[in-house]
Amino acid sequence: AAMLAAILIKREVALGLTAIVSLLGGIIVEYNLALTIFYFVSGVIAVFTLFNFNRQRDLVRSGSILSVANLVTVAALNLLFRSSFNYESVLLAVANGFLSAVLAIGSLPFMEHLFKITTPIRLLELANPSNPLLRRLQIEAPGTYYHSIMVGNLAEAAAQGIGADT
């Protein structure tokens, strides 16, 4: 949820959602403080690792970082809240990071379509030269096609120059 909110809406909203979901999750599991802390830390790390999101591999990178962070968090929480170390929970926490990335990648196209939000991944799909509309434009109006490519490159350079989302 945190990854999808960070991609589709904004980081600030994703952080607020993470806080609410972690508190509700802790309440659901009989007011378990350790799980509430885990949910919160995992969500915050997921949101902050999705900076400069442009490609699906950024989600995979975020999932890898999240797996390592989950490993450290659960190991620390095991040492703090349990009398014996639980290796099973550590393995599940590591799997959680990868599973979160997989679920985010899989559900992102549906969420984009459902809420009519265009993400950088969708824009890259539309800019693919094998897109039928671009292919038709290239064949029927090559001057317009190449002019549009040049204007797009200029706009991208200008956006990078001012720090905007390219």
Side-chain angles (χ1 to χ4, degrees):
M3 286 179 162
L4 287 174
I7 294 168
L8 295 172
I9 308 171
K10 283 186 178 182
R11 268 191 191 168
E12 295 82 12
V13 174
L15 289 173
L17 178 71
T18 298
I20 292 168
V21 168
S22 62
L23 286 174
L24 291 175
I27 291 170
I28 289 171
V29 291
E30 299 174 0
Y31 299 97
N32 190 333
L33 180 62
L35 277 176
T36 304
I37 293 170
F38 170 73
Y39 294 152
F40 183 74
V41 170
S42 181
V44 168
I45 290 172
V47 170
F48 283 123
T49 56
L50 281 173
F51 64 94
N52 200 12
F53 172 76
N54 289 322
R55 293 181 176 82
Q56 285 183 346
R57 70 174 175 221
D58 293 336
L59 270 171
V60 174
R61 176 185 46 85
S62 176
S64 301
I65 294 169
L66 186 59
S67 290
V68 173
N70 285 350
L71 178 123
V72 171
T73 304
V74 169
L77 289 172
N78 263 328
L79 294 173
L80 286 173
F81 289 100
R82 293 187 183 263
S83 58
S84 64
F85 196 79
N86 187 353
Y87 293 100
E88 187 177 292
S89 63
V90 174
L91 290 174
L92 288 173
V94 171
N96 178 333
F98 288 113
L99 186 61
S100 296
V102 168
L103 287 174
I105 289 171
S107 61
L108 188 59
F110 299 111
M111 295 294 178
E112 286 177 337
H113 181 70
L114 182 66
F115 296 113
K116 309 252 188 278
I117 297 173
T118 305
T119 63
I121 290 176
R122 180 71 178 132
L123 290 174
L124 286 173
E125 289 174 5
L126 292 173
N128 187 354
S130 65
N131 187 328
L133 185 61
L134 289 180
R135 178 68 69 201
R136 183 175 169 209
L137 182 65
Q138 188 177 18
I139 292 170
E140 293 180 14
T144 302
Y145 174 79
Y146 290 111
H147 176 74
S148 299
I149 296 292
M150 292 304 295
V151 170
N153 290 337
L154 288 172
E156 182 179 15
Q160 283 177 346
I162 63 171
D165 184 11
T166 58

